[in-house]
Amino acid sequence: MLNYKGIQMLSKIKSYGLVGIEGYKVDVEVDINPGLPGYDVVGLADTAIKESKERVKSAIKNCGYNYPINHIIINMAPASEKKVGSNYDLSIAIGILTASEVLLQKNVSKYIFLGELSLDGKVRKINGILPMLISAKQNGYTHFVIPKDNANESAFIDKINVYAVDNLRELVEFLKGDIVVEPVQTRSYADVITDQKTTADFAFVKGQASAKRALEIAAAGGHNILMIGPPGAGKTMLAKCFPTILPDMTFDEALEVTKIHSVAGELDQNQGIVINRPFRSPHHTTTVVALTGGGRNAKPGQISLAHNGVLFLDELPEYDRKTIETLRQPLEDGVITVARLQNTVCYPANFTLIASMNPCPCGYYGSSKVRCKCSPTAIHKYLSKISGPLMDRIDLHIEVDAISYDEIRSDHLEESSAEIKKRVNKARELQLERFKNGKNYSNAKMTEADFRKYCKLDDAGTALIETAFHKLNLSARAYTRILKVARTIADLEGSVDIKPEHIAEAIQYRSLDRKFTV
Amino acid sequence: MEYTVRELNLIWLDCFDFMTYSKKTQMIKAYGIDRDIRKSLPKDMIPALQDFLTQQELNKLNSCADDEFLQDALKKYQYKNVVLVTIYSTQYPALLRETDNPPYILYCKGNVDLLSTRCIAIVGTRRPSDYGRVVTKSYAKALAEAGLTIVSGLANGVDTIAHEEAISAGGKTIAVLAGGFDHIYPASNYALSEKIASDHLLVCENRPEVQPMNYMFPIRNRILAGLSEAVLITEAQENSGSLHTKNYAVDYGRDLYVVPGKITSLESKGCNKILKEMQGAITLDPSDVLEAMHIVKQENTENNNFQLDFNESNILRYTMSDKKSYQAIMDYTGLAPQQLNAILLSLQIRGLIEKLPGNFYLSN
């Protein structure tokens, strides 16, 4: 591609873009034409890309290269996809430098360039590096140039060469072969997982044995849980400890979580990968979009950020009803589809829901310490703020009461999260073995067929559940929930069969199905 | 069901909202009830009725005087499974008929024979304390088991407990409603009302479509007291609605039984106040009531058949007098949550212990 003087004037650079957490290749073509100096970007670029003109120009100049005083046309292919963000700065700059012969096309062809430029030529960090690298790797690309600040994020993907650069000049010299830049050293997930830092631990929660037990079951079986209790009972504290007893994320799970956090710009760049299970607790004034994801660019919402972790909704009835009802589909499917004018994006949203609420508007119904002032109608109304379909997706309801002063003061040693976690891990292993051929990996997400196969009862169990239904006014929807929870309890005990005592315990966790008020 | 002319007259008059109890009484007084009111209305009734009915109301009565109107109403009641027991019917409870203002018609749903059984009303606060709950339960159970029909008002609290306990003890119960059957109040007791309508008896003096209004509840209480041989108040606040029932009971000469409470307890203020005035009303045990009503209680041996193991009887003893939290039971017994949960549930199923809101337990 030579012009009439035999000078190369066209270059083609590879970069990557993102739709949701899936990447796609973007070709950045730069053509320098004779004519009045100008800079045109075509290919559905947004304002951030159009503004790159000034950043690229200054960066090239300040790194000591000549900015061509010609008409520059930049085409971003595929032209039909809308491109957003500043991560194309680096590829445009390299494109211009290649088209103006500072670099040779053959030296830059194999790389994918990602990064934003600052006026002095520094390459700045961008969001979404990890998902882009992963999908580029799947598409067979192996060489990447990324900002140095994103190096940690890229370190967990093996079999690719990632060059992390600090500034444009360093990059140009590297591409020319003048200096050597070592590829980013891969790190193994097993090494970093040990640095998990948690401030919460069940050892610090005094008393509350029944709530702890219920949370252990929830963690073991992936069940959603609702805690009902007066203010100050410690519901929030219990919820915060919950992630500490969940099994460690596998590498694949961690990558998925990191992808979402990277896209949302919430990734800790020092760590580079999310190793703690996410714990998200959006405030009750949160909007539908903030919870499920959306906005102009269909960003992930809180439920996707809680993927593979915990979504904690404190004071559940205080949430806008419309907002919490949107959880119904993701709770069932584990994904959320966010459809916007320009994008339709599918984000994973496989989280454990922990909700807490007061038993009545004043908060003290059934409390031993303070007298409740609410009328039965008010209590009924308060409880019915949570719809049946949503309640249907919550397997365990437990009541938590405030602990006494003596209990706070007691020196009694509570079990630590690590010990509980060991039992949870064992139960999870049983489930992984059980569901190894299916898509599902927890008792809570059992399909109808699995349910029939693995939740069989003996005669004593059937008799028990029948009497319980009649005596305790259980609603019909409780049936499968009880058996799934009983399955998890049996797993925790390492029992193959579901025994009557497992069912009995599971029924204890259905407070709201029983008549709550009299 | 065949109705006499007198009964049809009453049923027809009851179809109009403006025909209040006093207007009906006046009408019957002015006009008599043995003739067919509908047929003779246009000709000779008008002058006598103008004293208490407006022209508009008379026109309304006139325009609905055809057979079709009455037949439609009867069909509607039949369709809704509502049986009408008028004051002229032999099924009408004799005790109620003797009172000052007996309802002309009792709309009934369920087993109408219960109207002729021996009844006792159990009433009280809508928000009982744990003490009130226990007391109500034990009385309702004992009285129902002794063969008495438990009459109450289907309200929240004591009423609901009384109905439920009577049902679970295998006894009989009557719920007297204020509004019509189409408007069960409180709505949370809808399921209970269905159960009572199918195996027991719902009673109301209003047509099914009448909305419950707050003035109807005190008036309704006269039926509660009127139906029953005795009235038992287990727990009542200072200005509780059950005090109306007490007044009716006194007026009608019914036996009154009141359970005393702590003098500091808000929920027992009403009961204690009654007891200050009428010391003889005190009852300390269901057998007081049964003795006064000359009922010999059959010893129920069924309860003793339960096999209780050490932990179970331990828990029952511990939660006997006062409700205890889950945590307290756990600390007391030293059991792990998984074992304790299973034991507590099996006790609940056998009806030996009750789970109270807030994860508390109380043995029955």
Side-chain angles (χ1 to χ4, degrees), chain A residues 380-392:
Chain A
H380 195 73
K381 216 167 153 188
Y382 187 75
L383 293 175
S384 61
K385 274 189 183 176
I386 300 149
S387 72
L390 187 69
M391 270 334 269
D392 245 2

Side-chain angles (χ1 to χ4, degrees), chain B residues 266-280:
Chain B
L266 275 182
E267 285 93 348
S268 286
K269 277 255 159 73
C271 279
N272 289 340
K273 211 168 146 192
I274 301 174
L275 286 175
K276 197 175 169 191
E277 295 162 10
M278 316 167 69
Q279 281 141 14

Side-chain angles (χ1 to χ4, degrees), chain A residues 304-374:
Chain A
S304 299
L305 291 168
H307 178 57
N308 284 336
V310 177
L311 180 72
F312 176 48
L313 300 182
D314 205 356
E315 309 302 346
L316 189 62
E318 302 298 331
Y319 285 78
D320 185 12
R321 176 151 188 166
K322 215 172 110 201
T323 313
I324 43 174
E325 291 306 307
T326 55
L327 293 178
R328 276 151 62 165
Q329 186 235 342
L331 277 173
E332 200 81 339
D333 305 339
V335 290
I336 176 94
T337 307
V338 181
R340 288 295 177 270
L341 184 64
Q342 286 156 1
N343 289 315
T344 299
V345 184
C346 215
Y347 287 113
N350 198 355
F351 54 88
T352 301
L353 175 68
I354 300 189
S356 82
M357 64 186 279
N358 293 331
C360 69
C362 84
Y364 292 103
Y365 182 63
S367 160
S368 55
K369 314 264 164 7
V370 187
R371 206 187 136 88
C372 166
K373 294 187 273 295
C374 308

Side-chain angles (χ1 to χ4, degrees), chain A residues 472-488:
Chain A
L472 304 176
N473 285 329
L474 289 172
S475 70
R477 66 160 71 116
Y479 181 75
T480 46
R481 306 274 137 188
I482 288 172
L483 288 195
K484 283 179 185 178
V485 173
R487 178 70 262 166
T488 305

Side-chain angles (χ1 to χ4, degrees), chain A residues 91-162:
Chain A
S91 47
I92 292 173
I94 295 297
I96 292 173
L97 290 173
T98 310
S100 58
E101 277 201 309
V102 176
L103 291 165
L104 293 178
Q105 176 76 42
K106 64 171 179 151
N107 288 345
V108 299
S109 290
K110 65 174 175 179
Y111 298 102
I112 283 178
F113 295 92
L114 301 164
E116 179 186 322
L117 282 174
S118 96
L119 296 186
D120 62 357
K122 185 180 153 47
V123 182
R124 302 171 73 119
K125 71 167 183 192
I126 58 169
N127 291 335
I129 282 280
L130 187 78
M132 287 193 265
L133 292 184
I134 290 173
S135 44
K137 184 190 166 192
Q138 281 163 359
N139 288 323
Y141 300 101
T142 50
H143 289 73
F144 301 87
V145 174
I146 65 163
K148 194 152 215 159
D149 290 344
N150 288 111
N152 283 335
E153 192 178 337
S154 69
F156 296 93
I157 310 168
D158 56 352
K159 296 187 189 122
I160 55 171
N161 296 312
V162 179

Side-chain angles (χ1 to χ4, degrees), chain A residues 241-453:
Chain A
C241 293
F242 184 71
T244 62
I245 58 165
L246 286 172
D248 288 336
M249 283 195 283
T250 62
F251 179 54
D252 288 341
E253 283 177 325
L255 269 191
E256 258 193 342
V257 174
T258 310
K259 266 159 105 174
I260 301 166
H261 283 241
S262 174
V263 168
E266 298 216 0
L267 189 63
D268 173 13
Q269 290 297 345
N270 291 329
Q271 190 62 260
I273 191 163
V274 180
I275 48 173
N276 290 322
R277 286 193 184 262
F279 180 84
R280 310 294 299 196
S281 52
H283 188 246
H284 61 69
T285 53
T286 191
T287 59
V288 175
V289 170
L291 199 64
T292 59
R296 199 163 59 91
N297 299 324
K299 287 266 181 202
Q302 292 293 327
I303 58 169
S304 299
L305 291 168
H307 178 57
N308 284 336
V310 177
L311 180 72
F312 176 48
L313 300 182
D314 205 356
E315 309 302 346
L316 189 62
E318 302 298 331
Y319 285 78
D320 185 12
R321 176 151 188 166
K322 215 172 110 201
T323 313
I324 43 174
E325 291 306 307
T326 55
L327 293 178
R328 276 151 62 165
Q329 186 235 342
L331 277 173
E332 200 81 339
D333 305 339
V335 290
I336 176 94
T337 307
V338 181
R340 288 295 177 270
L341 184 64
Q342 286 156 1
N343 289 315
T344 299
V345 184
C346 215
Y347 287 113
N350 198 355
F351 54 88
T352 301
L353 175 68
I354 300 189
S356 82
M357 64 186 279
N358 293 331
C360 69
C362 84
Y364 292 103
Y365 182 63
S367 160
S368 55
K369 314 264 164 7
V370 187
R371 206 187 136 88
C372 166
K373 294 187 273 295
C374 308
S375 71
T377 326
I379 297 172
H380 195 73
K381 216 167 153 188
Y382 187 75
L383 293 175
S384 61
K385 274 189 183 176
I386 300 149
S387 72
L390 187 69
M391 270 334 269
D392 245 2
R393 290 162 172 81
I394 299 178
D395 293 351
L396 299 150
H397 329 141
I398 48 162
E399 287 174 71
V400 186
D401 192 30
I403 58 167
S404 63
Y405 177 73
D406 292 345
E407 282 171 300
I408 298 176
R409 279 290 307 277
S410 84
D411 295 329
H412 178 66
L413 268 185
E414 300 288 340
E415 207 175 14
S416 75
S417 289
E419 282 166 66
I420 304 175
K421 193 170 173 175
K422 271 185 215 152
R423 296 198 295 267
V424 169
N425 276 331
K426 248 189 211 152
R428 282 269 172 133
E429 274 161 28
L430 281 176
Q431 292 169 54
L432 283 176
E433 176 65 24
R434 177 179 308 141
F435 301 121
K436 64 183 170 197
N437 299 323
K439 268 167 78 181
N440 144 61
Y441 49 86
S442 66
N443 286 338
K445 298 260 154 63
M446 238 187 268
T447 59
E448 192 62 38
D450 285 339
F451 179 76
R452 276 158 204 271
K453 199 166 156 197

Side-chain angles (χ1 to χ4, degrees), chain B residues 81-117:
Chain B
N81 286 328
V82 176
V83 178
L84 284 67
V85 178
T86 67
I87 195 160
Y88 305 116
S89 161
T90 48
Q91 285 178 310
Y92 196 88
L95 276 174
L96 183 60
R97 193 182 279 140
E98 288 163 12
T99 61
D100 300 340
N101 300 308
Y104 289 110
I105 300 179
L106 290 178
Y107 293 82
C108 299
K109 217 173 179 180
N111 180 4
V112 181
D113 295 339
L114 291 183
L115 288 174
S116 49
T117 56

